[in-house]
Amino acid sequence: MSNPKSRWILWAAYAVLFLALPYVTQPIFKLVGDCGFGWILLIFYLALPLLGLGCGVADGIVNGWSLWWLIAPVVLFIPHFFLAMDAAADLSIHWDEFVLFAGIYVGFAFIPNLIAGLIRNSSQRSRAQS
């Protein structure tokens, strides 16, 4: 049985962590010497996709699959696109980066959520039949 409260808690945690992680950790890693640029790339290429993977799988196992995981990573990346990547300077250059990152985040959140949700549904059907 799906628990809507757990779904909302998981979605809220994902949204807060997705939006806050790059900005909260950046001052700590500016001491590295490259103004934190390497750390920001690590956050955008590794931490945020893994966050989507973990939350998407957890939501899929507990509540089944949801289209939210297809839309949310793209919507949540928009502030990062304009603030962290400074895309407001020249939008014509950065749209390919937006599509790349959004595709990575959707791929790491929606596909695992879909697979976990389908496994959950098939296991519930097999339990109901027996």
Side-chain angles (χ1 to χ4, degrees), residues 40-124:
I40 289 297
L41 287 178
L42 184 68
I43 292 285
F44 283 126
Y45 278 116
L46 185 64
L48 295 179
L50 290 178
L51 176 67
L53 176 77
C55 290
V57 168
D59 187 43
I61 291 170
V62 174
N63 299 307
W65 71 278
S66 171
L67 286 176
W68 189 85
W69 294 103
L70 186 63
I71 299 166
V74 176
V75 171
L76 291 173
F77 181 61
I78 291 172
H80 295 315
F81 180 65
F82 285 107
L83 297 174
M85 299 182 75
D86 197 25
D90 189 3
L91 286 176
S92 63
I93 295 174
H94 296 287
W95 284 111
D96 58 338
E97 292 176 4
F98 179 80
V99 171
L100 171 71
F101 280 107
I104 289 170
Y105 300 148
V106 166
F108 272 85
F110 179 70
I111 294 170
N113 176 260
L114 179 64
I115 293 168
L118 293 174
I119 291 170
R120 176 184 183 268
N121 290 345
S122 68
S123 69
Q124 282 183 341

